[in-house]
Amino acid sequence: MAALAEIITRTRHEVQAFPKHETLGASTITFGMIKGGYRPYVVPDQAKVWIDLRLVPPLSTSRVLKAIRDVSQEIEKEINGIKVSITVDGDRPPIESDPNSPLLSVLKETVADVTAAPAQVGVFTGYTDTAVIAGKLDNHNCMSYGPGDLEVAHKPDEYVDRADIKRVAQVFKDLANKVL
């Protein structure tokens, strides 16, 4: 577990040192689950950590994996008897907005038509299915649009106003009619 703690600490420092994106901010790393050992008084024979990376351009999964492998190899040399293996079970690329996207243009027009107010376009640094779709299709011209208030999202009493759902449904209906 001591070796894993070193890997976690050094890897976190590596990711924090990566360049920030002017719009998306900094890449983040979360060590969501750590497992090891079977009794508190026995030195564990193995340990595992699950890592969630949220990367911003120009970083890529391969660049960050190289950094993690480099750190792991250093620890393997420093601490006798450990062996590190890395498995990637998901790769969701960062999605940069394209201000010239034809879809964005039509979406903004449709939002303005439905709401009688200009669309507010922003950046969302959390996880969405947009990244999954972009990664599976190798299409970085993707975007997310939907109802809800991030201030109440993922809280014990999370909710979405019915009027907001109706607004978004109307935008999608009108958008589909415009692009189809």
Side-chain angles (χ1 to χ4, degrees):
M1 288 296 269
L4 183 57
E6 281 292 324
I7 291 170
I8 289 170
T9 301
R10 292 186 198 180
T11 300
R12 185 175 61 82
H13 289 302
E14 287 285 325
V15 170
Q16 289 173 336
F18 287 136
K20 293 181 180 179
H21 187 274
E22 67 181 58
T23 306
L24 298 174
S27 294
T28 61
I29 185 167
T30 303
F31 304 94
M33 187 165 61
I34 302 170
K35 292 173 77 172
Y38 61 95
R39 294 278 188 245
Y41 48 82
V42 177
V43 176
D45 61 340
Q46 67 174 353
K48 293 182 179 183
V49 61
W50 283 258
I51 300 172
D52 179 51
L53 289 162
R54 308 285 170 102
L55 305 180
V56 299
L59 288 179
S60 65
T61 302
S62 61
R63 168 66 184 97
V64 177
L65 275 174
K66 181 184 179 329
I68 294 170
R69 284 188 179 104
D70 291 348
V71 165
S72 299
Q73 288 171 355
E74 288 173 14
I75 301 298
E76 284 178 334
K77 290 176 185 171
E78 292 173 18
I79 301 175
N80 192 26
I82 71 156
K83 178 160 177 39
V84 177
S85 65
I86 299 170
T87 303
V88 177
D89 64 2
D91 186 6
R92 296 170 186 95
I95 308 301
E96 287 188 273
S97 61
D98 177 3
N100 301 315
S101 164
L103 179 59
L104 178 59
S105 178
V106 176
L107 177 60
K108 287 165 56 175
E109 174 188 311
T110 306
V111 168
D113 291 347
V114 170
T115 66
Q120 295 182 354
V121 178
V123 173
F124 180 67
T125 58
Y127 176 82
T128 69
D129 290 338
T130 303
V132 175
I133 294 164
K136 292 282 186 194
L137 300 177
D138 194 28
N139 178 356
H140 292 235
N141 187 28
C142 295
M143 64 188 75
S144 296
Y145 177 77
D149 178 354
L150 291 177
E151 295 299 317
V152 296
H154 307 296
K155 305 273 189 322
D157 294 324
E158 178 178 27
Y159 67 92
V160 177
D161 285 329
R162 186 176 297 144
D164 205 19
I165 294 170
K166 288 180 179 181
R167 172 189 58 82
V168 169
Q170 188 62 51
V171 168
F172 281 143
K173 181 180 172 187
D174 290 5
L175 179 65
N177 287 330
K178 286 182 181 180
V179 297
L180 296 179

